[in-house]
Each structure stands twice: as structure tokens, then as C-alpha cells.
Amino acid sequence: MSRRRTVDAATTPPAAEGSLAWLRSRRDRDGQPMLDETGFAAGERLRRDFGLASLGGRLTTDWDAFGSARGHTGAGGMTPSEAAGAARQRIERALAAVGPELAGPLVDVCCHERTLPEVERLRGWPLRSGKVVLRLALAALARHYGLSRAAVGPAARGSRHWGAADYRPRA
């Protein structure tokens, strides 16, 4: 016998609101937002690139084939095809940075606007595990985009000198 999951209004975003925006507006039992601002910004950036790259399928005519008055979009002097190619490359780099285990849930939620219960069901995860995985994935994505709260790498080290802690050079 298989267990059937019920999806109610408390776990499903309204049709007009995206999955990430809905999760950001929700609070956990401690009153904290389910998604922090850096995770939300990273997810929205991935979703925007996904739309730019036209990876969701084309619904209209490819106007790039006809050319434009100047031949460029004005955004960095790229044609729409070049802008889509650049967005695809950004997506590939971002998904490679987060790793294959976290890339799938990111694409499902951020790009395809699937709900967490739907992702859990599709991937065979336990109930309510999607929030944890999504938070980890968005944190890794935010780190890739340089949006994380704590600085890492050279920015975190600050300046270095060989003097004592209270050393001040003389001018």
C-alpha cells in the first residue's frame, strides 16, 4: 500500500506567486523567515538567467532571426542570441559550483517553479526534507554569486602585517 500525500494551502504557493517568493514570506516555528534575503536573491538571479537563456522553451517567434534596427539589444551590445548564450554559461557555472546533488532541486524550485512537496515527491525524499535541502542549495548558490553574509577568501582575511597587534608605523 502506498501512502498518499495531501497538499494543502499551507504548503502550496498561490498560482500568481513564485515558489521562492512564497517561501520567503513564510515563517518557521521560531518566527524566522524560511528563506533569508541572500538565498532569495541567489535563487531569483538563477531564475532570471534561466528565463534569459530561454531554457524553458520558446513560446513566440525568434525575432533575433529577423534582426533589429541596430542589430543589438543595447544590453552590453549583445544580440538576444548572444545574451541567451551568456545566460546559459552563467547557469552552467552556477550549477557546477553548487554540485550535482544540489543543482537539481535548485532548477526544480527556482526555474521550473515547482513546490517543495512536489519536489519531495518527484525525488523520493521524506516529507519536509525539501526545505533543508533547498536552504543548503541556496546557500551554496549565494556563495557562488558572492552574496553570502560572511566574506570568504581574500576579503575575509583583511590586511596583514608583521608587526605586533598594537604596532603603528611612523610617518
Side-chain angles (χ1 to χ4, degrees):
M1 256 174 108
S2 66
R3 286 181 14 202
R4 288 187 62 187
R5 293 184 184 188
T6 58
V7 178
D8 61 343
T11 59
T12 307
E17 187 176 50
S19 295
L20 283 179
W22 183 81
L23 285 169
R24 183 178 69 164
S25 69
R26 304 315 254 185
R27 303 279 176 194
D28 62 14
R29 66 180 98 150
D30 297 330
Q32 298 299 316
M34 284 190 176
L35 291 182
D36 61 358
E37 289 301 315
T38 57
F40 177 75
E44 283 295 302
R45 187 168 170 182
L46 182 69
R47 184 191 58 77
R48 209 172 29 252
D49 275 344
F50 187 82
L52 253 173
S54 303
L55 293 175
R58 186 176 299 281
L59 297 175
T60 62
T61 304
D62 181 10
W63 292 105
D64 188 35
F66 298 106
S68 64
R70 295 184 313 190
H72 298 296
T73 63
M78 292 191 280
T79 65
S81 295
E82 292 168 339
R88 280 187 203 102
Q89 289 175 350
R90 288 191 301 271
I91 291 171
E92 288 172 8
R93 284 192 303 268
L95 296 180
V98 300
E101 298 84 9
L102 299 176
L106 276 176
V107 171
D108 285 345
V109 174
C110 299
C111 303
H112 295 298
E113 296 287 331
R114 291 193 173 117
T115 64
L116 286 179
E118 186 180 0
V119 172
E120 290 166 351
R121 187 177 60 254
L122 288 172
R123 297 187 175 275
W125 292 347
L127 288 171
R128 293 177 181 73
S129 62
K131 283 188 276 190
V132 175
V133 175
L134 182 62
R135 284 179 182 167
L136 293 170
L138 288 172
L141 186 62
R143 214 174 18 258
H144 166 72
Y145 285 142
L147 301 174
S148 55
R149 289 183 193 166
V152 293
R157 288 194 291 263
S159 61
R160 293 182 176 194
H161 59 83
W162 294 104
D166 60 345
Y167 169 77
R168 299 284 181 256
R170 292 182 219 165

